[in-house]
Amino acid sequence: MTPEALAPRLPSPLEEAEDERFARHGVRLLLKRDDLIHPDLVGNKWRKLVLNLEAAAGRPVLTFGGAYSNHLRATAAAGRLLGFPTIGVVRGDELAGRPLNPSLAQCAADGMRLHFVDRSTYRRKSSPDVLAGLLESLCPDAYVVPEGGSNSLAVQGCTALGEELRGVAEVVGVACGTGGTLAGLAAGLAPGQRALGVPVLKGGFLEAEMRALQRAAFGEVRGDWTLDDRFHFGGYARVPAELEAFARDFEGRHGVGVERVYVAKLLYALLRLAEEGAFERGARVAAVITGRP
């Protein structure tokens, strides 16, 4: 069975969110509802996985993630739906003896074999010796997908997101973890459109990663894209009270569930940028909704 047999909803819907906080600055907010693509392979996870799954051609898929990884959950769901084995290498060997959290429990329920490694080993997961050791011990013929699903095939898969948004917004914002979605999005947009990435991790490392991903996918850096590193709220999965209050308010205003790790930070950033005058009056700004709560 191929990924297309899962009947994804493409192109994903585009909805206008009438919001006076943006309107008073002359900005129209659009929501690109990638969270509605598929009930199990939500948002950018579909776009990043589809070409990788075609390349795997039914072989076991080995991939990486933390204890609450959306990518691990999506890969496990794809394995269940399409009938191929999945192996998840999870950061933190201290988790091995504990009850599984809901995220990892769902991975296991979908048939994913979980393998916990210490954090030092996990940091070196891409090195040839560590990767060879993992493959030898877990599944020598596995197809390897990197953490977050971001590789050249994932970037190519995400160009469709930009193509679906051609001509409908001057700026397209997306929250970033590993950078693969932004790399493809920017390449797919038309000239005159700009992609804005909002990193959810602190560290300022993503620009170099973006350039490397685009060169691997296309042989060059493509598109007009920028990053704004100010809205990580202290780091990955940090949801302080201010951000939680903002997300709840947005949900109440628009009836759209706001995923806290990525989407809340993106929407908060877009509002602050509108207040700062970062967008021209009359601009249409599209926010890519990459996940569900």
Side-chain angles (χ1 to χ4, degrees), residues 17 49 102 147 224 237 261 282 290:
L49 279 172
E147 182 179 35
D224 180 2
V261 177
T290 51

Side-chain angles (χ1 to χ4, degrees), residues 29-164:
L29 177 65
L30 309 175
L31 305 180
K32 179 62 169 166
R33 298 294 303 276
D34 266 22
D35 57 315
L36 301 178
I37 287 177
H38 190 276
D40 293 298
L41 278 71
V42 177
N44 60 337
K45 301 309 175 188
W46 167 271
R47 299 187 190 275
K48 293 168 79 172
L49 279 172
V50 60
L51 295 182
N52 276 292
L53 297 183
E54 290 177 358
R59 283 186 289 157
V61 170
L62 182 148
T63 192
F64 304 85
Y68 292 92
S69 169
N70 294 325
H71 168 67
L72 286 183
R73 289 204 308 276
T75 304
R80 169 176 57 81
L81 293 166
L82 297 173
F84 62 86
T86 56
I87 304 161
V89 178
V90 183
R91 179 179 63 246
D93 58 344
E94 74 277 5
L95 302 173
R98 300 178 184 174
L100 297 177
N101 66 37
S103 182
L104 293 178
Q106 184 61 56
C107 290
D110 281 339
M112 177 173 274
R113 177 184 172 190
L114 300 174
H115 179 74
F116 299 89
V117 299
D118 64 83
R119 293 167 188 273
S120 175
T121 300
Y122 192 88
R123 284 193 293 271
R124 297 182 291 114
K125 60 187 176 298
S126 299
S127 64
D129 57 330
V130 171
L131 186 56
L134 288 169
L135 286 170
E136 182 178 359
S137 63
L138 296 174
C139 186
D141 67 336
Y143 179 87
V144 177
V145 177
E147 182 179 35
S150 289
N151 58 10
S152 59
L153 287 178
V155 172
Q156 292 168 24
C158 288
T159 59
L161 172 59
E163 291 165 355
E164 291 174 22

Side-chain angles (χ1 to χ4, degrees), residues 232-249:
H232 54 71
F233 282 89
Y236 184 73
R238 300 285 180 87
V239 186
E242 181 184 9
L243 185 62
E244 177 65 27
F246 169 82
R248 288 183 180 275
D249 177 70

Side-chain angles (χ1 to χ4, degrees), residues 14-33:
L14 184 68
E15 305 170 353
E16 182 157 6
E18 295 186 3
D19 193 313
E20 73 276 7
R21 298 172 298 177
F22 287 86
R24 71 172 63 109
H25 300 287
V27 175
R28 292 173 57 194
L29 177 65
L30 309 175
L31 305 180
K32 179 62 169 166
R33 298 294 303 276

